Amino acid sequence: MTTRRGLFVAPFDQLADPRVVGDLAAEAEAAGWDGFFVWDHLLYGERVTDIADVWTCCAAVAMRTERLLLGPMVTPLARRRPQVLARQAASLAVLSRGRFVLGLGLGDDWVGEFSAFGDEPDPRTRARMLDEGLEVLSGLLGGGRVDHQGEHHAARGVTFRPAPDVPIWLAGRFPNRAPLRRAARYDGFFVIGLDGPGDLERTVSALAEHDPAPGFDVVVDLRPEQDPGPWLDRGASWVLTRIGPFDLDLDEVRRVVASGPART
């Protein structure tokens, strides 16, 4: 298996401009990267002042590139309306000609990103909301509709047309098992909190117990100074290079992007 390489970009401060994000994506494609994924946040503590909207950034990436996979990494579904998110995802899949990946997860309230806006702060409740939202979202993307109780079913009356294929990757922190089990039912697992390649091997083994579908993606991210070599043959289909979140310098970011993906 050839491990693909991508960028995992925080659209904060100097990067909090969709035009800049689009420029970086075009530079990344020219430099040989395979994917360009954008963080989705409303707040990120006192060290971050400006944050760009993830959907606008994804649209800019789609318009400025022809080959890169792209998407939010990751969107907390509990603060989204699944029917609105389905429209956004389907539209970006069309705009990108099938290159859009929808990354979803619980999110975190460590800086009040949920509680400050009256959204659900309890992670267990958000987990239930995530599972319910995934059922609705996947049904709508497949061409269903939502009734007044929030359940999706086969088309009756006004329907969503089936969208272009939208892979869904679920995020989770190692070694928690619930996110892994959830991800195995969809198209990929973005696993965070790994201490080393050995943790990745344990994750891949645990996923195999749940029989994910063929083509299932396992995704990890590294800091720019980390050597990707030891991670490339340990079962990950994607190794991302993290850009951010703090003290982003646009010139340095451009240097990392232009250096391209080191594959060995």
Side-chain angles (χ1 to χ4, degrees):
M1 177 182 66
T2 300
T3 304
R4 289 188 280 183
R5 299 295 315 284
L7 294 164
F8 177 44
V9 180
F12 299 167
D13 296 329
Q14 288 197 32
L15 275 58
D17 181 335
R19 297 167 297 183
V20 171
V21 173
D23 289 344
L24 289 173
E27 294 167 20
E29 187 165 80
W33 297 92
D34 302 307
F36 194 100
F37 303 99
V38 186
W39 300 26
D40 181 9
H41 287 278
L42 299 176
L43 300 173
Y44 210 82
E46 295 180 355
R47 293 177 63 185
V48 171
T49 302
D50 299 321
I51 300 176
D53 172 66
V54 68
W55 306 105
T56 308
C57 289
C58 284
V61 174
M63 292 297 292
R64 294 294 310 278
T65 60
E66 297 180 354
R67 179 184 55 80
L68 291 179
L69 265 67
L70 62 115
M73 196 64 64
V74 297
T75 287
L77 185 51
R79 72 172 180 224
R80 306 285 185 183
R81 295 193 176 202
Q83 66 271 25
V84 176
L85 187 60
R87 288 295 194 202
Q88 293 170 318
S91 296
L92 281 163
V94 171
L95 186 65
S96 65
R97 295 181 176 86
R99 295 180 288 126
F100 180 73
V101 176
L102 182 55
L104 300 172
L106 285 186
D108 200 302
D109 199 43
W110 69 284
V111 293
E113 192 169 5
F114 290 87
S115 53
F117 298 101
D119 293 325
E120 178 55 59
D122 179 66
R124 292 188 178 183
T125 303
R126 289 203 308 277
R128 291 195 296 271
M129 295 170 71
L130 174 58
D131 288 330
E132 292 166 0
L134 278 164
E135 185 177 0
V136 173
L137 178 65
S138 57
L140 291 175
L141 289 172
R145 67 179 286 273
V146 175
D147 66 17
H148 69 282
Q149 294 178 327
E151 298 173 350
H152 75 85
H153 48 72
R156 287 205 308 261
V158 178
T159 64
F160 275 35
R161 293 180 60 187
D165 183 47
V166 178
I168 295 175
W169 293 351
L170 276 299
R173 185 174 295 278
F174 178 84
N176 297 341
R177 299 302 293 256
L180 183 148
R181 290 193 298 269
R182 179 183 295 114
R185 301 194 296 269
Y186 291 89
D187 303 296
F189 185 35
F190 177 33
V191 56
I192 60 177
L194 300 173
D195 287 333
D199 289 347
L200 173 58
E201 291 180 336
R202 286 188 282 275
T203 298
V204 172
S205 295
L207 279 165
E209 298 173 8
H210 299 281
D211 196 26
F216 185 89
D217 283 302
V218 179
V219 187
V220 301
D221 77 288
L222 306 176
R223 298 183 305 277
E225 66 272 17
Q226 286 183 275
D227 177 10
W231 299 79
L232 296 183
D233 296 317
R234 303 296 183 99
S237 53
W238 282 88
V239 173
L240 309 182
T241 295
R242 187 187 319 156
I243 304 294
F246 303 121
D247 304 320
L248 287 162
D249 177 82
L250 186 54
D251 290 338
E252 176 60 18
V253 170
R254 285 204 159 106
R255 187 197 64 76
V256 172
V257 171
S259 68
R263 297 179 186 275
T264 57

